[in-house]
Amino acid sequence: MTTFKALTIAGSDSGGGAGIQADIKTFQELDVFGMSAITAVTAQNTLGVHGVYPVSVEAVVKQIEAIGSDLGTDALKTGMLFSSDIIEAVSEKIKQFKWTRVVVDPVMIAKGGASLLQNEAVNALKQHLLPLALVITPNIPEAEVLADMTIHNLEDRKKAAKHLHRLGAKHVIIKGGHDVDSENLVDILYDGEEYTYLTSKRIQTKNSHGTGCTFAAALTAELAKGQNIQAAFKEAKNFIQVAIEDDLGIGNGHGPTNHWAFKRRKELNSLV
Ligand SMILES: Nc1ncnc2c1ncn2[C@@H]1O[C@H](COP(=O)(O)OP(=O)(O)O)[C@@H](O)[C@H]1O
Ligand SMILES: Cc1ncc(COP(=O)(O)OP(=O)(O)O)c(N)n1
């Protein structure tokens, strides 16, 4: 049996709903062996981010080298990268190890408003990392910053996706979670020629902490297994939809999604 591997280069969320923890849980649930390089430690729970402690560039590089020089990876995702120094170092390592199945989740601000990327690091993200992305997965506010435009509607999102593709990302997914006006929720994928739309019912919940990380991790896991972008996009959307639906209801604030839900439903369905 082949063991597929995925690496996450991201921040740690002590509360377990986002960041490295969400990524590894998602990889595991999708039958992919998960590995990590931690860029920052956050003291975080369902009530918010209470502290951010970046890891040294040297430590980030050493973690990536430890993986690249031994285990290798079939796909990787980046999440919270915090500073331009970390972004530049990570980009260099991706090039050195010739990793191409690269998912860039351009994490900027946590739902509670805490900054997870320094303002001056946005340019480094655009210049160094975006051109290495097989797929970039911004939410609407992140797409606005990266494409330097305001997004009011789907047409604007399509324009922003084109812009990010011109900056070098081979595929662009702009997620629709922040389009709060609509009852349905549409994520769009642009491959340089065509748009694909995935629509789902918006679930009314306060427990959506870590949705972006979980979605991007599911996408990465599917790419690690050799799926194409379209198939990986569909599976990631299914994974996050049921993870939000099957609410865990833990914590006093914005709770995490349920990383078990997708596999448990699959197992239940195969029994009936
Ligand atoms: N309330 C919701 N109901 C259903 N799906 C959601 C909901 N909120 C977010 N999603 C899905 O979760 C994923 C992450 O979306 P989004 O919230 O836009 O990103 P982020 O967590 O990075 O801000 C997307 O696939 C989006 O469609
Ligand atoms: C350590 C860490 N990384 C990323 C995030 C942001 O995750 P996201 O999936 O966008 O979820 P919300 O913060 O928006 O709920 C994070 N919070 N912590």
Side-chain angles (χ1 to χ4, degrees), residues 105 107 109 111 137-142 157 173-179 183 185-187 198 200-205 207-216 233 236-238 240-241 244-245 257:
D105 184 17
V107 171
I109 295 175
K111 277 201 181 76
T137 62
N139 60 25
I140 291 174
E142 289 158 354
R157 251 203 283 168
I173 291 174
I174 304 187
K175 301 165 295 186
H178 293 248
D179 180 10
E183 192 179 309
L185 206 148
V186 187
D187 291 351
L198 290 185
S200 62
K201 216 170 106 19
R202 176 180 292 282
I203 302 155
Q204 297 305 331
T205 178
N207 298 327
S208 60
H209 172 53
T211 47
C213 300
T214 302
F215 169 82
F233 181 34
K237 180 81 174 157
N238 290 337
I240 192 60
Q241 186 73 13
I244 301 171
E245 267 169 20
T257 68

Side-chain angles (χ1 to χ4, degrees), residues 14-52:
S14 53
I20 290 275
Q21 287 79 356
D23 295 346
I24 299 271
K25 290 175 200 181
T26 304
F27 293 162
Q28 182 80 11
E29 289 297 304
L30 289 169
D31 299 323
V32 170
F33 181 79
M35 302 167 289
S36 63
I38 299 184
T39 56
V41 171
T42 70
Q44 196 172 168
N45 56 23
T46 65
L47 298 169
V49 178
H50 308 284
V52 173

Side-chain angles (χ1 to χ4, degrees), residues 63-258:
Q63 292 172 81
I64 300 172
E65 284 176 348
I67 291 156
S69 62
D70 177 29
L71 295 135
T73 192
D74 297 301
L76 73 88
K77 88 173 264 281
T78 65
M80 172 186 181
L81 295 176
F82 191 67
S83 68
S84 39
D85 286 351
I86 294 180
I87 291 171
E88 283 181 37
V90 166
S91 306
E92 277 311 307
K93 290 293 141 186
I94 291 173
K95 283 193 271 185
Q96 182 192 326
F97 289 110
K98 299 189 170 47
W99 286 323
T100 54
R101 296 209 141 207
V102 175
V103 175
V104 174
D105 184 17
V107 171
M108 293 182 188
I109 295 175
K111 277 201 181 76
S115 177
L116 303 177
L117 181 75
Q118 294 175 329
N119 288 341
E120 63 270 23
V122 170
N123 273 342
L125 191 64
K126 284 165 79 165
Q127 196 186 329
H128 299 289
L129 196 54
L130 212 134
L132 303 176
L134 176 63
V135 51
I136 184 167
T137 62
N139 60 25
I140 291 174
E142 289 158 354
E144 289 185 317
V145 171
L146 292 171
D148 201 11
M149 62 179 277
T150 308
I151 297 177
H152 297 290
N153 52 38
L154 201 59
E155 280 311 305
D156 293 338
R157 251 203 283 168
K158 287 169 70 177
K159 261 189 229 153
K162 261 196 180 158
H163 188 104
L164 299 186
H165 184 265
R166 272 198 301 271
L167 290 181
K170 285 159 206 71
H171 301 82
V172 181
I173 291 174
I174 304 187
K175 301 165 295 186
H178 293 248
D179 180 10
V180 284
D181 289 340
S182 81
E183 192 179 309
N184 286 325
L185 206 148
V186 187
D187 291 351
I188 71 166
L189 162 68
Y190 181 60
D191 65 4
E193 283 176 16
E194 289 181 351
Y195 296 92
T196 304
Y197 306 89
L198 290 185
T199 304
S200 62
K201 216 170 106 19
R202 176 180 292 282
I203 302 155
Q204 297 305 331
T205 178
K206 67 178 175 55
N207 298 327
S208 60
H209 172 53
T211 47
C213 300
T214 302
F215 169 82
L219 187 71
T220 308
E222 292 306 307
L223 291 172
K225 290 188 271 190
Q227 298 287 358
N228 64 35
I229 296 275
Q230 294 279 348
F233 181 34
K234 281 190 193 127
E235 198 72 337
K237 180 81 174 157
N238 290 337
F239 189 97
I240 192 60
Q241 186 73 13
V242 299
I244 301 171
E245 267 169 20
D246 289 4
D247 203 327
L248 290 171
I250 57 172
N252 295 302
H254 295 286
T257 68
N258 180 349

